[in-house]
Amino acid sequence: MQKNVANVFDEWAKAGRAEGMEKGHGFAVHAFLDELTLDRPLRFLDFGCGNGWVVRKMANLPHVQEAWGIDISKEMIERATAFQSSNEKFVCGKLEDGLLPGKFDLIFSMEALYYSVPMEVPMDHLVNLLAPQGMLVIGSDFYRENEESHSWPDDVGVPMDLRSMDEWKKLFESRNLKNVHQRQIRYPHEPSTNLEKEVHAKKTVSTWKQKLGTLFTYGTKKQCK
């Protein structure tokens, strides 16, 4: 029996899995975001922000004027707002609800977009929220090349939109995003940093994370003429 996605994430939040997702995705997300060149004032949005850990990370950077997070889970947003700072903003709802004001220079999403079937619908909303020359970054562990992820829709009990790496790239290109690239961030076999040691200690590093890694697809919005 299929479940409502919002209810699933409410249950996960109540069970303490929000923090678990932060630990599980932290290595790849930090590795990707830490390499971005952010040298001008910007507004940031995290789509599917969970407990707000990425929003908090970005809000602490000097060039980030506002860091927003949106999630359909009320329980997740309650956890996100518990410790929010003045330049952190959180909203509970869907992209199509029109709750997000203005445009964003950097939009990020980790493990959220594929819960919408088909993904084209939220993708259009995300591109519309991008400022000219803004960057969209989507991280996913659920992709066709990662065969171990194919059972997740049945395991979780919700529909998921499975795409190949090439299909992910074409999804970006079909929305007229330019400079579309992909990167797979693989988890190290031997931990060196404190974060890596913590992840390994909690046994959240599966074999596929070391062989394939998290897939990041990213591109920028064309400048308006």
Side-chain angles (χ1 to χ4, degrees), residues 10 56 62 87-88 102 114 130 149 156 167 184 205-206 210:
D10 281 342
R56 288 190 289 274
N87 62 333
E88 296 173 24
Y114 59 70
L130 267 182
S149 72
V156 178
E167 288 171 330
Q184 289 169 273
V205 180
S206 304
Q210 296 171 332

Side-chain angles (χ1 to χ4, degrees), residues 3-220:
K3 303 176 184 178
N4 179 280
V5 175
N7 291 341
V8 167
F9 280 91
D10 281 342
E11 293 171 1
W12 288 359
K14 291 176 182 178
R17 291 187 61 179
E19 293 69 28
M21 286 186 284
E22 177 180 350
K23 296 288 193 302
H25 299 312
F27 173 78
V29 171
H30 286 298
F32 186 91
L33 291 178
D34 287 349
E35 291 186 2
L36 292 180
T37 300
L38 305 177
D39 55 3
R40 61 186 176 91
L42 62 86
R43 300 180 78 231
F44 171 81
L45 170 65
D46 183 7
F47 168 58
C49 65
N51 69 356
W53 64 279
V54 176
V55 173
R56 288 190 289 274
K57 170 186 176 67
M58 299 303 291
N60 285 322
L61 299 181
H63 291 289
V64 177
Q65 296 177 319
E66 287 184 345
W68 286 72
I70 184 170
D71 203 290
I72 59 173
S73 166
K74 181 180 178 182
E75 294 290 337
M76 289 289 186
I77 292 297
E78 286 184 359
R79 282 155 179 75
T81 56
F83 303 102
Q84 73 183 100
S85 62
S86 59
N87 62 333
E88 296 173 24
K89 316 288 182 182
F90 295 99
V91 294
C92 182
K94 300 178 180 179
L95 291 173
E96 55 265 37
D97 294 337
L99 301 172
L100 297 165
K103 302 292 184 179
F104 295 88
D105 305 287
L106 175 58
I107 298 179
F108 176 83
S109 182
M110 181 67 207
E111 295 283 88
L113 191 66
Y114 59 70
Y115 286 103
S116 296
V117 184
M119 291 190 289
E120 280 77 2
V121 177
M123 187 71 173
D124 286 338
H125 287 291
L126 291 174
V127 172
N128 184 57
L129 285 167
L130 267 182
Q133 299 186 356
M135 176 182 284
L136 175 62
V137 179
I138 305 293
S140 179
D141 291 332
F142 181 66
Y143 55 102
R144 195 171 300 279
E145 286 78 3
N146 178 15
E147 295 183 0
E148 292 186 43
S149 72
H150 293 186
S151 65
W152 293 357
D154 291 332
D155 296 341
V156 178
V158 298
M160 299 180 189
D161 195 342
L162 181 63
R163 307 281 178 109
S164 67
M165 291 177 61
D166 186 57
E167 288 171 330
W168 271 103
K169 188 173 182 180
K170 288 179 178 177
L171 178 64
F172 274 62
E173 293 172 340
S174 67
R175 267 57 201 166
N176 292 318
L177 295 173
K178 64 178 182 177
N179 301 322
V180 179
H181 298 285
Q182 291 181 310
R183 182 181 174 193
Q184 289 169 273
I185 295 184
R186 296 170 177 83
Y187 287 65
H189 290 275
E190 294 297 331
S192 57
T193 67
N194 288 335
L195 175 60
E196 293 171 14
K197 291 176 181 178
E198 185 175 4
V199 171
H200 275 262
K202 292 182 178 297
K203 298 180 180 180
T204 56
V205 180
S206 304
T207 302
W208 65 263
K209 286 191 174 185
Q210 296 171 332
K211 290 184 176 180
L212 295 171
T214 296
L215 173 66
F216 289 93
T217 307
Y218 52 103
T220 55

